[in-house]
Amino acid sequence: MTDTTGWRDLGFARLDTSRAARTGDPEVVYGEGKNPEQTVALLRTLHDEHPERAVLATRLGDAARTAVRTTFGTAADIDDLARTVTLGPLPQPSGRVAVVAAGTSDRPVAAEAVVTARVFGAEADMVTDVGVAGIHRLLAVRDDLDRADCLVVVAGMEGALPSVVGGLTGVPLVAVPTSIGYGASLGGLAALLAMLNSCAPGVVVVNIDNGFGAGVHAARVARQAGEHR
Amino acid sequence: MTDTTGWRDLGFARLDTSRAARTGDPEVVYGEGKNPEQTVALLRTLHDEHPERAVLATRLGDAARTAVRTTFGTAADIDDLARTVTLGPLPQPSGRVAVVAAGTSDRPVAAEAVVTARVFGAEADMVTDVGVAGIHRLLAVRDDLDRADCLVVVAGMEGALPSVVGGLTGVPLVAVPTSIGYGASLGGLAALLAMLNSCAPGVVVVNIDNGFGAGVHAARVARQAGEHR
Amino acid sequence: MTDTTGWRDLGFARLDTSRAARTGDPEVVYGEGKNPEQTVALLRTLHDEHPERAVLATRLGDAARTAVRTTFGTAADIDDLARTVTLGPLPQPSGRVAVVAAGTSDRPVAAEAVVTARVFGAEADMVTDVGVAGIHRLLAVRDDLDRADCLVVVAGMEGALPSVVGGLTGVPLVAVPTSIGYGASLGGLAALLAMLNSCAPGVVVVNIDNGFGAGVHAARVARQAGEHR
Amino acid sequence: MTDTTGWRDLGFARLDTSRAARTGDPEVVYGEGKNPEQTVALLRTLHDEHPERAVLATRLGDAARTAVRTTFGTAADIDDLARTVTLGPLPQPSGRVAVVAAGTSDRPVAAEAVVTARVFGAEADMVTDVGVAGIHRLLAVRDDLDRADCLVVVAGMEGALPSVVGGLTGVPLVAVPTSIGYGASLGGLAALLAMLNSCAPGVVVVNIDNGFGAGVHAARVARQAGEHR
Amino acid sequence: MTDTTGWRDLGFARLDTSRAARTGDPEVVYGEGKNPEQTVALLRTLHDEHPERAVLATRLGDAARTAVRTTFGTAADIDDLARTVTLGPLPQPSGRVAVVAAGTSDRPVAAEAVVTARVFGAEADMVTDVGVAGIHRLLAVRDDLDRADCLVVVAGMEGALPSVVGGLTGVPLVAVPTSIGYGASLGGLAALLAMLNSCAPGVVVVNIDNGFGAGVHAARVARQAGEHR
Amino acid sequence: MTDTTGWRDLGFARLDTSRAARTGDPEVVYGEGKNPEQTVALLRTLHDEHPERAVLATRLGDAARTAVRTTFGTAADIDDLARTVTLGPLPQPSGRVAVVAAGTSDRPVAAEAVVTARVFGAEADMVTDVGVAGIHRLLAVRDDLDRADCLVVVAGMEGALPSVVGGLTGVPLVAVPTSIGYGASLGGLAALLAMLNSCAPGVVVVNIDNGFGAGVHAARVARQAGEHR
Amino acid sequence: MTDTTGWRDLGFARLDTSRAARTGDPEVVYGEGKNPEQTVALLRTLHDEHPERAVLATRLGDAARTAVRTTFGTAADIDDLARTVTLGPLPQPSGRVAVVAAGTSDRPVAAEAVVTARVFGAEADMVTDVGVAGIHRLLAVRDDLDRADCLVVVAGMEGALPSVVGGLTGVPLVAVPTSIGYGASLGGLAALLAMLNSCAPGVVVVNIDNGFGAGVHAARVARQAGEHR
Amino acid sequence: MTDTTGWRDLGFARLDTSRAARTGDPEVVYGEGKNPEQTVALLRTLHDEHPERAVLATRLGDAARTAVRTTFGTAADIDDLARTVTLGPLPQPSGRVAVVAAGTSDRPVAAEAVVTARVFGAEADMVTDVGVAGIHRLLAVRDDLDRADCLVVVAGMEGALPSVVGGLTGVPLVAVPTSIGYGASLGGLAALLAMLNSCAPGVVVVNIDNGFGAGVHAARVARQAGEHR
């Protein structure tokens, strides 16, 4: 393992170790396409570089989560719904993110957003099953939404939820399409297109199933708001 | 002009004159791609075949509507918003269709659905500007929707309105995507896909901007309900 | 399990328990992406909420159907072709739905439509193998189609059947594209596009393989017609 | 103008003059994107190379047809519906092609197929307005179809006609999708996909609006059959 | 098993038994999505209806081919490359089909075309590995191609072979795109689009991997030519 | 003109007048598809409802901007690059938005974002021509970017700029794809897809050319940050 | 006009003046979307920065070419087919580029490649009308191709030419798809996909109609080869 | 095994043995879709034809690599990352190719390009993890890139790296999109489109994951440059 200015070479990958200095947040391990050994090695290196604050790995399969559990024991915080691992203490939260999910099947993506937002420094919680076909469930939590500094709205199928939420409140809102659906849902493209065409002003969108990206943006927005309070 | 069993040959087209006998409703003139003379000739032939009830022409450009006005005078009922013409007395309505449009720009398609539903034998009226980004406008007309025998819900952009309406009422509902939008709305495909993926059960869909098709289906559904009352 | 006004929280999902009050029909369990335990729990809760009428679960895999059989025994009505389960007594049927399938491989989707239409309160039966390449088989059942209050027409490949049926009869018609085909059938998109572009007026369409959605719409249309007879 | 073995250089284009020797039929002028002068020059050169048999130009706009009329007078046979010009005597026909068009708007493409088939050496005639929504019109001409050596079936919108015809007869059948339609017809792609997925065995397809290509294939098939009679 | 005029009901399917009378060739068993028992039952029924001439089943998996072997023994002619089975004596061939394949991986589709053409009454043989990147291999077989009554040209990847062959000979030509390729070949769509846009006049196309459809068309074209010799 | 609780009916449209109360910002006039008279009437109504703060119209063509100039004179602030009009005093800015454009042709979209951000209550300025093919121009303005509370990054063609900016700074970042490009840029879809797949964490995206949407989100994010300073 | 290190600010655009130092070749003016005055101003600035070598503007409409002619007179070299302008002396050529075009309609794109290659320092000439449907025309120029240091192969429709050329010679080859075609050519996407899937090894591709990009790459490849001879 | 002029027939395939004479480089074995025995037989035949220089097989699965190891022992050079095998001595390198990969997951494709470039006669090495979200890693290797005769730039997700590299250097550059990504990366199509739309002049592109094609082109470009030094 060679150490170089700005990155660390692990043989199979070079970690960007100056990212926290540049952007305020360390690099994150994206687990898809990596074997358990690589995931563990990357997590350990990241943790060594940033012992004072939690580091994150996402999209971990069963084998990778088991390897993490064996290696780090209770030091690692494993979320089986979100398929994430965090290592090290969470930062003191600043600002609040509310993650809203349309249906039961959207929960894993919503959970990834919640975990990510916490690692990136914001308070975060989740409201689920407030899909537009039962609008009364959404109206019941409206005050909750208004109190957040940033909203993450997760939906599959027709992806209509962000438009309805965005018409009820002016809180900054990130929409996350999920790959939930069948037939002409095209693996989430239908929901993605719907969200990009939202008639509610100011709705911004991330890639299909990208709870992580939504969590990063929302945490940055929320903690900016919180820092100044 | 040769007359043959089941159709009439006008040289440039053969009209299906047995359609009313087979399906209960006469053939309709689709104006796009036809010149004003052809449109007038087809309308006249249809009217001659069915003098007792209104016949319909849709998608008429300015020139065709002017030619119709010149030829038939006040006998023709011309709707400039819907771009339709009807000739002959409307049938006695049976059952009621409510056409709901999300935004101002969806009105022409909604108007085509209203005219069509009337020609096909149902009572029909229109509610507009009840888009999902201002859900209070929709909740205010909820009872109106419940009283209909069939709903036609017209929306462009993200096409979310049918899902919300379909969650509020169990009245049979036909969704019409419109080509309103820009960027990745893809000429209405985004709204079409959203409606096909609606999480509200029983939403059925017609082609982009096809107010005519929605009107036909809705009228048939409504008049069946009305006939038996 | 917490009970709240309008929904029931099962931990992994919140059931919309006021849907029957709003729309006339209870929530339905969509089995895809749920494990057998969740499916059984949701079915039981729905049944408890609506003991007087059948509740429905669709898209159940082998394991889920086995779990249902073990749990509810003969109280559950399991359809292996349609991959559905119903629990509780079917409503007294009102109106009649005829489900027409083009080919042998379209039968599971057609069966889902039949079961759904019955749970939603209509009489329903199925006619199969009447594809357009052997038009004599369709012409032989024409009177049958005319007697229905709503038609569901199921076809894959080129999706031509709804156009032919829609030219033979004026009964309200819902088209269902199936994912049957290969090469450039694009998982049913070819049939879906064909049906959206049908030259027969009034053909409405649901998502690929969505026998359930077609069944809901058809039952609502049929029972409206039937109720008034 | 330089003459070289196998082609002729006109400055703006090099004509393949050995094509007739290689494939039995001379090169054809495709008028789209060429100005009237170029079209006239290419036609004249082709005619000089093949004075004994008709040469063909397709897709000619109004200006090009006028230029041809001015230059060649009555020697040129101009078809305004098909937008084609032929120069020189048609070959003695061998075999018979029947061109079938679904709707009025499909006529120009069908006419291009008819003209092409004649220039390529077959007898050809046209049957129109036999769309699938009025199946009785098609059944009335069934014997006519059976007597052809090759069928060309032209349809837009849902493109269902080739499947129905292909189920009625075993005559070799070429399907031509047209760009007629709106909304999700996608400029003829819906009809193209439908025809590629036809459930009738042996249906072959050409590009959207490509009456010319269908005419070439059909003429070759028909004249082979006719030559041996 | 009920016998009805024009079809036979096997419970899970209704066989079109009047197809041979209508189109000259019997129905064919398409094996995909059917279990071995169904395939065997359908083959047996077809064979009973048409004992005097070979009947065909295509797209048979390993299990289905084993079941056929067990049931019919040497009476069935099984082609493992083409994944087809024929039962009964081949018709006396009339006319000749040449099937040309670009690469090694295109052979299974080419073999399906060969078997089909023979069952449908033509002589058929195969030329392989004549892809356009080694044009000398194609030029070497040019006379062979000229002697055929119909060509089937099979190619994946960029699908260029039909254009080159179509420029060398005037024999009627059916192009078959295959799903061979990777990346942006899109499962054969790239080759399909290329073939539809061929600059060689008269190239007609079937669906991706549809050797069967090409074989049917080619046989009908060839035997027409042959019958009259 | 009828006044109703929550909206105002202008005959051709119903304005949502309670939006400011619900979301903190008034409704905006979207000029596309409206005639100059409608645009003027909507602007006037909005201004009457909210005399104390600027109201906004976007996507105004030349005729609409002229009509606004004639009607409101110098009271209206017209931006010809952004194609926007504002009427009434801008709010006191809170927080700062920096809008970054890759190329010269992206300027109109960037200008729309700037105007929108100002109307929605943030300070906003623009940096242009910092495309990734001349990375030195971007590095020169890096400190400027770090000082913003929210970034809007506008780019067409390959849409790479947000990824590079997102790797240099942790400021919340909204990416706007533009329809600039040709060939396989697909009207901006290439840039849109690239931005959705950005390897920089936390990049969020709006629809193609939607400078307005980006401006709304960015202003809300920035003013939250600014309000608490 | 402000002068800054590395770029020049013209108000409406900032020219990258250090590009030649970084990459060896100056910035180029892309004329699409710019008015004649902007094009002239950019050309003049580029010429002032690089008086010793030709600078290039591409995609100029008629008005822009007229403005250039008026401003620079005979100092500007205007190519009406390629729609380009060069200003200043061409560099001494090193290495040779051969540009090959399939059809007459591909000539403008081929001409753009030729002009670009010359401005970027290579000798360049053009061979046209060697499409694959007349392979003899291509074989006749084979030696010519072999003598080049880099080939640019331009084709629309099915885009087959690069595969055939790439099988005849090992010279580095850049393929350029053009938007020539109709129906399912999808504006050149069919040719683009075909070229990306070429079975000839080492074929590289640029965007649709991008003769400029191909010319830049080919010139760089050729002059590297030439410099060392 | 029959030997014929220009090819060798192995029964299941015909090897193009005159390719080296025509293009300077022998045929290559593409392993996908071939079984281990076929791969070994093809490699052996190629090696027999070209004993003096390395021959190459790509896309070998585990079983094929094991079969090669068993058959040829240490004579075969197997690269498990690149999934390639070479047999015979590498040619003396001429010119230098630098392969640059954006992320860890792009390494296998980059390795295929390196191996291919070496077999095709150039020196080649690899630089990895220089993605655009950490631009400092790329700037650190800039001199390295400038010294190459051809660059291969490999990237997935948003595919931005070639644009940034192409703005830093004028070395000929081949871009390779990889299928790395999720959601709307569409299996690498997003990166492919981005690269085709690169704002850096002269970027050329190969198919998704096609390290082989990029290696062939780059080696030919580099060795031309090297040969003349």
PDB file of all heavy atoms in Angstrom, chain D residues 3 11 31 47 63-64 70 76 92-93 111 113 139 144 150 152 181-182 184 190 192 217 225:
ATOM      1  N   ASP D   3     -16.908   8.907 -68.582  1.00  0.00           N
ATOM      2  CA  ASP D   3     -17.466   7.552 -68.581  1.00  0.00           C
ATOM      3  C   ASP D   3     -16.392   6.562 -68.121  1.00  0.00           C
ATOM      4  O   ASP D   3     -15.283   6.557 -68.625  1.00  0.00           O
ATOM      5  CB  ASP D   3     -17.941   7.191 -69.994  1.00  0.00           C
ATOM      6  CG  ASP D   3     -18.904   6.007 -69.947  1.00  0.00           C
ATOM      7  OD1 ASP D   3     -18.923   5.323 -68.897  1.00  0.00           O
ATOM      8  OD2 ASP D   3     -19.631   5.788 -70.922  1.00  0.00           O
ATOM      9  N   GLY D  11     -20.316  14.496 -61.794  1.00  0.00           N
ATOM     10  CA  GLY D  11     -19.780  15.620 -61.010  1.00  0.00           C
ATOM     11  C   GLY D  11     -20.335  15.599 -59.600  1.00  0.00           C
ATOM     12  O   GLY D  11     -19.597  15.408 -58.638  1.00  0.00           O
ATOM     13  N   GLY D  31     -35.204  10.862 -55.114  1.00  0.00           N
ATOM     14  CA  GLY D  31     -35.269  12.304 -55.308  1.00  0.00           C
ATOM     15  C   GLY D  31     -35.039  13.149 -54.073  1.00  0.00           C
ATOM     16  O   GLY D  31     -34.689  14.325 -54.178  1.00  0.00           O
ATOM     17  N   HIS D  47     -31.816   6.965 -68.518  1.00  0.00           N
ATOM     18  CA  HIS D  47     -32.608   6.668 -69.721  1.00  0.00           C
ATOM     19  C   HIS D  47     -31.681   6.403 -70.909  1.00  0.00           C
ATOM     20  O   HIS D  47     -31.918   5.487 -71.707  1.00  0.00           O
ATOM     21  CB  HIS D  47     -33.541   7.845 -70.007  1.00  0.00           C
ATOM     22  CG  HIS D  47     -34.445   7.640 -71.179  1.00  0.00           C
ATOM     23  ND1 HIS D  47     -35.245   6.513 -71.328  1.00  0.00           N
ATOM     24  CD2 HIS D  47     -34.689   8.408 -72.279  1.00  0.00           C
ATOM     25  CE1 HIS D  47     -35.930   6.603 -72.454  1.00  0.00           C
ATOM     26  NE2 HIS D  47     -35.606   7.742 -73.047  1.00  0.00           N
ATOM     27  N   ALA D  63     -41.458  20.750 -57.322  1.00  0.00           N
ATOM     28  CA  ALA D  63     -40.535  21.422 -58.237  1.00  0.00           C
ATOM     29  C   ALA D  63     -39.868  20.412 -59.176  1.00  0.00           C
ATOM     30  O   ALA D  63     -39.720  20.653 -60.380  1.00  0.00           O
ATOM     31  CB  ALA D  63     -39.484  22.189 -57.443  1.00  0.00           C
ATOM     32  N   ALA D  64     -39.481  19.281 -58.635  1.00  0.00           N
ATOM     33  CA  ALA D  64     -38.812  18.272 -59.462  1.00  0.00           C
ATOM     34  C   ALA D  64     -39.783  17.699 -60.488  1.00  0.00           C
ATOM     35  O   ALA D  64     -39.418  17.488 -61.659  1.00  0.00           O
ATOM     36  CB  ALA D  64     -38.248  17.159 -58.573  1.00  0.00           C
ATOM     37  N   THR D  70     -41.454  19.723 -67.827  1.00  0.00           N
ATOM     38  CA  THR D  70     -40.917  20.694 -68.770  1.00  0.00           C
ATOM     39  C   THR D  70     -39.873  20.052 -69.687  1.00  0.00           C
ATOM     40  O   THR D  70     -39.858  20.283 -70.896  1.00  0.00           O
ATOM     41  CB  THR D  70     -40.256  21.856 -67.988  1.00  0.00           C
ATOM     42  OG1 THR D  70     -41.199  22.362 -67.061  1.00  0.00           O
ATOM     43  CG2 THR D  70     -39.797  22.950 -68.942  1.00  0.00           C
ATOM     44  N   ALA D  76     -42.452  11.450 -70.268  1.00  0.00           N
ATOM     45  CA  ALA D  76     -42.347  11.052 -68.862  1.00  0.00           C
ATOM     46  C   ALA D  76     -43.727  10.746 -68.300  1.00  0.00           C
ATOM     47  O   ALA D  76     -44.680  11.488 -68.532  1.00  0.00           O
ATOM     48  CB  ALA D  76     -41.696  12.166 -68.046  1.00  0.00           C
ATOM     49  N   GLN D  92     -42.754  -5.861 -70.362  1.00  0.00           N
ATOM     50  CA  GLN D  92     -43.893  -6.768 -70.455  1.00  0.00           C
ATOM     51  C   GLN D  92     -44.081  -7.414 -69.075  1.00  0.00           C
ATOM     52  O   GLN D  92     -43.164  -8.035 -68.552  1.00  0.00           O
ATOM     53  CB  GLN D  92     -43.572  -7.836 -71.522  1.00  0.00           C
ATOM     54  CG  GLN D  92     -44.646  -8.878 -71.736  1.00  0.00           C
ATOM     55  CD  GLN D  92     -45.913  -8.253 -72.308  1.00  0.00           C
ATOM     56  OE1 GLN D  92     -45.881  -7.176 -72.913  1.00  0.00           O
ATOM     57  NE2 GLN D  92     -47.033  -8.906 -72.093  1.00  0.00           N
ATOM     58  N   PRO D  93     -45.255  -7.262 -68.448  1.00  0.00           N
ATOM     59  CA  PRO D  93     -45.396  -7.783 -67.084  1.00  0.00           C
ATOM     60  C   PRO D  93     -45.407  -9.308 -67.018  1.00  0.00           C
ATOM     61  O   PRO D  93     -45.907  -9.975 -67.907  1.00  0.00           O
ATOM     62  CB  PRO D  93     -46.732  -7.208 -66.618  1.00  0.00           C
ATOM     63  CG  PRO D  93     -47.490  -6.901 -67.855  1.00  0.00           C
ATOM     64  CD  PRO D  93     -46.469  -6.559 -68.901  1.00  0.00           C
ATOM     65  N   ALA D 111     -49.286   3.639 -53.632  1.00  0.00           N
ATOM     66  CA  ALA D 111     -49.106   4.000 -55.046  1.00  0.00           C
ATOM     67  C   ALA D 111     -47.646   3.880 -55.457  1.00  0.00           C
ATOM     68  O   ALA D 111     -47.333   3.445 -56.577  1.00  0.00           O
ATOM     69  CB  ALA D 111     -49.612   5.426 -55.280  1.00  0.00           C
ATOM     70  N   ALA D 113     -45.549   1.774 -54.293  1.00  0.00           N
ATOM     71  CA  ALA D 113     -45.297   0.337 -54.461  1.00  0.00           C
ATOM     72  C   ALA D 113     -45.833  -0.154 -55.803  1.00  0.00           C
ATOM     73  O   ALA D 113     -45.191  -0.963 -56.488  1.00  0.00           O
ATOM     74  CB  ALA D 113     -45.929  -0.443 -53.304  1.00  0.00           C
ATOM     75  N   LEU D 139     -62.694  -9.068 -46.105  1.00  0.00           N
ATOM     76  CA  LEU D 139     -63.186 -10.400 -46.467  1.00  0.00           C
ATOM     77  C   LEU D 139     -63.786 -10.388 -47.879  1.00  0.00           C
ATOM     78  O   LEU D 139     -63.738 -11.388 -48.600  1.00  0.00           O
ATOM     79  CB  LEU D 139     -64.208 -10.879 -45.437  1.00  0.00           C
ATOM     80  CG  LEU D 139     -63.623 -11.052 -44.018  1.00  0.00           C
ATOM     81  CD1 LEU D 139     -64.730 -11.425 -43.013  1.00  0.00           C
ATOM     82  CD2 LEU D 139     -62.522 -12.117 -43.985  1.00  0.00           C
ATOM     83  N   ASP D 144     -59.419 -12.082 -54.542  1.00  0.00           N
ATOM     84  CA  ASP D 144     -58.457 -11.234 -55.250  1.00  0.00           C
ATOM     85  C   ASP D 144     -57.048 -11.415 -54.708  1.00  0.00           C
ATOM     86  O   ASP D 144     -56.076 -11.489 -55.467  1.00  0.00           O
ATOM     87  CB  ASP D 144     -58.869  -9.769 -55.010  1.00  0.00           C
ATOM     88  CG  ASP D 144     -59.164  -9.063 -56.302  1.00  0.00           C
ATOM     89  OD1 ASP D 144     -59.774  -9.712 -57.178  1.00  0.00           O
ATOM     90  OD2 ASP D 144     -58.788  -7.887 -56.430  1.00  0.00           O
ATOM     91  N   CYS D 150     -47.663 -12.099 -55.257  1.00  0.00           N
ATOM     92  CA  CYS D 150     -47.055 -11.495 -54.060  1.00  0.00           C
ATOM     93  C   CYS D 150     -47.963 -10.367 -53.587  1.00  0.00           C
ATOM     94  O   CYS D 150     -48.520  -9.626 -54.398  1.00  0.00           O
ATOM     95  CB  CYS D 150     -45.656 -10.954 -54.361  1.00  0.00           C
ATOM     96  SG  CYS D 150     -44.724 -10.568 -52.855  1.00  0.00           S
ATOM     97  N   VAL D 152     -48.427  -6.842 -51.190  1.00  0.00           N
ATOM     98  CA  VAL D 152     -47.819  -5.764 -50.420  1.00  0.00           C
ATOM     99  C   VAL D 152     -48.930  -5.187 -49.559  1.00  0.00           C
ATOM    100  O   VAL D 152     -49.958  -4.758 -50.091  1.00  0.00           O
ATOM    101  CB  VAL D 152     -47.238  -4.681 -51.352  1.00  0.00           C
ATOM    102  CG1 VAL D 152     -46.766  -3.483 -50.544  1.00  0.00           C
ATOM    103  CG2 VAL D 152     -46.110  -5.254 -52.193  1.00  0.00           C
ATOM    104  N   GLY D 181     -50.357   8.419 -38.173  1.00  0.00           N
ATOM    105  CA  GLY D 181     -50.715   8.217 -36.774  1.00  0.00           C
ATOM    106  C   GLY D 181     -50.348   9.453 -35.988  1.00  0.00           C
ATOM    107  O   GLY D 181     -49.899  10.440 -36.538  1.00  0.00           O
ATOM    108  N   TYR D 182     -50.533   9.422 -34.685  1.00  0.00           N
ATOM    109  CA  TYR D 182     -50.148  10.573 -33.867  1.00  0.00           C
ATOM    110  C   TYR D 182     -49.799  10.076 -32.476  1.00  0.00           C
ATOM    111  O   TYR D 182     -49.903   8.886 -32.181  1.00  0.00           O
ATOM    112  CB  TYR D 182     -51.249  11.635 -33.819  1.00  0.00           C
ATOM    113  CG  TYR D 182     -52.568  11.188 -33.277  1.00  0.00           C
ATOM    114  CD1 TYR D 182     -52.940  11.502 -31.978  1.00  0.00           C
ATOM    115  CD2 TYR D 182     -53.433  10.438 -34.061  1.00  0.00           C
ATOM    116  CE1 TYR D 182     -54.159  11.086 -31.480  1.00  0.00           C
ATOM    117  CE2 TYR D 182     -54.650  10.028 -33.564  1.00  0.00           C
ATOM    118  CZ  TYR D 182     -55.014  10.355 -32.275  1.00  0.00           C
ATOM    119  OH  TYR D 182     -56.214   9.943 -31.787  1.00  0.00           O
ATOM    120  N   ALA D 184     -48.205   8.422 -29.580  1.00  0.00           N
ATOM    121  CA  ALA D 184     -47.225   7.360 -29.440  1.00  0.00           C
ATOM    122  C   ALA D 184     -47.127   6.457 -30.667  1.00  0.00           C
ATOM    123  O   ALA D 184     -46.721   5.306 -30.547  1.00  0.00           O
ATOM    124  CB  ALA D 184     -47.532   6.562 -28.179  1.00  0.00           C
ATOM    125  N   ALA D 190     -44.458   2.403 -34.184  1.00  0.00           N
ATOM    126  CA  ALA D 190     -45.440   1.491 -33.590  1.00  0.00           C
ATOM    127  C   ALA D 190     -45.895   0.466 -34.623  1.00  0.00           C
ATOM    128  O   ALA D 190     -45.938  -0.735 -34.349  1.00  0.00           O
ATOM    129  CB  ALA D 190     -46.640   2.275 -33.054  1.00  0.00           C
ATOM    130  N   LEU D 192     -44.296  -0.373 -37.391  1.00  0.00           N
ATOM    131  CA  LEU D 192     -43.132  -1.189 -37.769  1.00  0.00           C
ATOM    132  C   LEU D 192     -42.932  -2.330 -36.766  1.00  0.00           C
ATOM    133  O   LEU D 192     -42.771  -3.499 -37.142  1.00  0.00           O
ATOM    134  CB  LEU D 192     -41.887  -0.301 -37.819  1.00  0.00           C
ATOM    135  CG  LEU D 192     -40.543  -1.012 -37.987  1.00  0.00           C
ATOM    136  CD1 LEU D 192     -40.474  -1.772 -39.291  1.00  0.00           C
ATOM    137  CD2 LEU D 192     -39.388  -0.014 -37.909  1.00  0.00           C
ATOM    138  N   HIS D 217     -39.146  -5.881 -54.126  1.00  0.00           N
ATOM    139  CA  HIS D 217     -39.170  -7.270 -53.673  1.00  0.00           C
ATOM    140  C   HIS D 217     -40.359  -8.016 -54.289  1.00  0.00           C
ATOM    141  O   HIS D 217     -40.215  -9.132 -54.797  1.00  0.00           O
ATOM    142  CB  HIS D 217     -39.222  -7.325 -52.152  1.00  0.00           C
ATOM    143  CG  HIS D 217     -39.104  -8.709 -51.594  1.00  0.00           C
ATOM    144  ND1 HIS D 217     -37.896  -9.356 -51.451  1.00  0.00           N
ATOM    145  CD2 HIS D 217     -40.046  -9.605 -51.170  1.00  0.00           C
ATOM    146  CE1 HIS D 217     -38.091 -10.572 -50.955  1.00  0.00           C
ATOM    147  NE2 HIS D 217     -39.389 -10.739 -50.762  1.00  0.00           N
ATOM    148  N   ALA D 225     -42.382 -16.116 -60.410  1.00  0.00           N
ATOM    149  CA  ALA D 225     -43.517 -17.036 -60.485  1.00  0.00           C
ATOM    150  C   ALA D 225     -44.122 -17.000 -61.890  1.00  0.00           C
ATOM    151  O   ALA D 225     -44.465 -18.033 -62.474  1.00  0.00           O
ATOM    152  CB  ALA D 225     -44.573 -16.661 -59.444  1.00  0.00           C
TER     153      ALA D 225
END
